[in-house]
Amino acid sequence: MTATNPTASQPSVSTAERTVSAIFKEREQIDGVIHRLLDRGISRDDISVVGKNFHSETKIAGFITKKDVIFGGLRQGAIFGSLFGSALALLTGVGVLFVPFVGTLVAAGPLGAALLGAASGAIAGSAGAGLVSALVTLGMPEDKAAVYQTRIEAGDFMVAVEVPADKSGEIQLLLESAGGEEIHTNETALPRGRSGQIEDPSHLSPEIRSHLSQDAQRLYIANYNSELANSSDESKAEHHAWDIVREQFEQDEHGVWSKSKMTV
């Protein structure tokens, strides 16, 4: 079984895992592949789904908004189940994000957390390259990421599964037999959000780190840790840290918070 919350004290866990992903054309295929993966002993915490065409069925617009995602992270539990009423409700966490050139996506599971900056407020792909930049940051080659973005933009769905290295071939075959296309294996698992104090920038998720300059990273970490020490509320600490970054920095042409605001 894969670990659901690897930490710095367990570096061998993430390096021993791989992420196998595939594109599916039909919404109905998703339920089937999720159940097949669960039957094979894959943890629900290690299965992710991303797609555009969930909104019309779930009436998600206005319920989980872009602002909710930026300042609230992932919505879980009963909300998730009430939205989908399908096998997606078996997975952990759901978020809604707007990605340039793609539009509004529903992202479920750990990939949703990664794309949303591990539930800390950064929208991955806010720079010009859209979903491609987010997937490349997560370890996918740019040419394959471009194919995935095009397929998702056209209404197809992405499924990603984290497995031990010795099970990756088995899961590739499962996804292919279930109708998966453009199958790809990353040599690492997806980043997970880190709980508690942040010791240094390496503990930030790749999506946050790639959207903050080094100075902005230090500012974020200092204010996150300070607020967390006072309140012990990680969500409040995240909001506070992002507020301070936005007060003191502006985004450059690549969407990175790097331009220090002039102070009088």
Side-chain angles (χ1 to χ4, degrees):
M1 297 296 290
T2 58
T4 58
N5 187 27
T7 66
S9 63
Q10 298 174 306
S12 62
V13 174
S14 59
T15 57
E17 292 179 341
R18 294 179 180 175
T19 303
V20 184
S21 56
I23 293 292
F24 289 86
K25 290 183 178 180
E26 304 296 334
R27 169 70 177 79
E28 292 74 16
Q29 292 174 301
I30 303 302
D31 279 7
V33 75
I34 289 174
H35 283 298
R36 288 181 64 179
L37 289 166
L38 294 173
D39 288 344
R40 289 287 183 94
I42 302 298
S43 170
R44 69 193 188 105
D45 296 329
D46 296 328
I47 305 171
S48 300
V49 177
V50 176
K52 293 179 64 175
N53 294 336
F54 296 116
H55 320 357
S56 59
E57 297 178 18
T58 62
K59 300 179 181 179
I60 200 169
F63 185 47
I64 296 180
T65 66
K66 181 178 177 181
K67 183 177 179 182
D68 290 327
V69 173
I70 295 173
F71 294 108
L74 300 179
R75 296 300 183 94
Q76 301 186 29
I79 292 178
F80 193 20
S82 66
L83 280 173
F84 295 103
S86 69
L88 281 176
L90 300 173
L91 308 185
T92 54
V94 61
V96 180
L97 65 159
F98 177 81
V99 177
F101 310 116
V102 179
T104 303
L105 298 179
V106 173
L111 180 58
L115 292 177
L116 294 169
S120 31
I123 293 184
S126 62
L131 187 62
V132 172
S133 64
L135 294 176
V136 169
T137 299
L138 295 172
M140 184 176 288
E142 187 170 354
D143 57 345
K144 181 63 74 172
V147 171
Y148 272 52
Q149 172 166 303
T150 299
R151 295 289 299 266
I152 292 171
E153 183 179 4
D156 294 345
F157 305 91
M158 174 181 179
V159 173
V161 189
E162 295 173 270
V163 295
D166 61 1
K167 292 191 70 173
S168 61
E170 172 190 339
I171 298 305
Q172 288 178 41
L173 291 174
L174 185 153
L175 295 178
E176 184 176 2
S177 67
E181 302 175 359
E182 300 293 344
I183 295 173
H184 175 75
T185 300
N186 282 357
E187 296 301 317
T188 59
L190 294 166
R192 296 305 209 266
R194 184 182 178 88
S195 298
Q197 294 280 321
I198 300 174
E199 296 174 12
D200 60 64
S202 69
H203 296 154
L204 295 171
S205 75
E207 293 69 40
I208 297 177
R209 199 161 60 243
S210 66
H211 284 81
L212 296 175
S213 68
Q214 290 185 354
D215 287 342
Q217 289 173 21
R218 286 190 286 268
L219 182 70
Y220 179 96
I221 291 170
N223 284 279
Y224 174 90
N225 287 339
S226 175
E227 182 61 35
L228 187 64
N230 290 330
S231 66
S232 300
D233 185 329
E234 291 187 359
S235 177
K236 185 176 181 180
E238 291 164 356
H239 302 169
H240 175 70
W242 276 105
D243 285 344
I244 299 300
V245 167
R246 293 186 178 98
E247 286 177 4
Q248 298 192 25
F249 287 89
E250 295 177 350
Q251 288 179 295
D252 62 21
E253 63 273 19
H254 301 294
V256 177
W257 295 86
S258 62
K259 294 182 176 180
S260 180
K261 294 182 179 179
M262 298 296 294
T263 56
V264 179

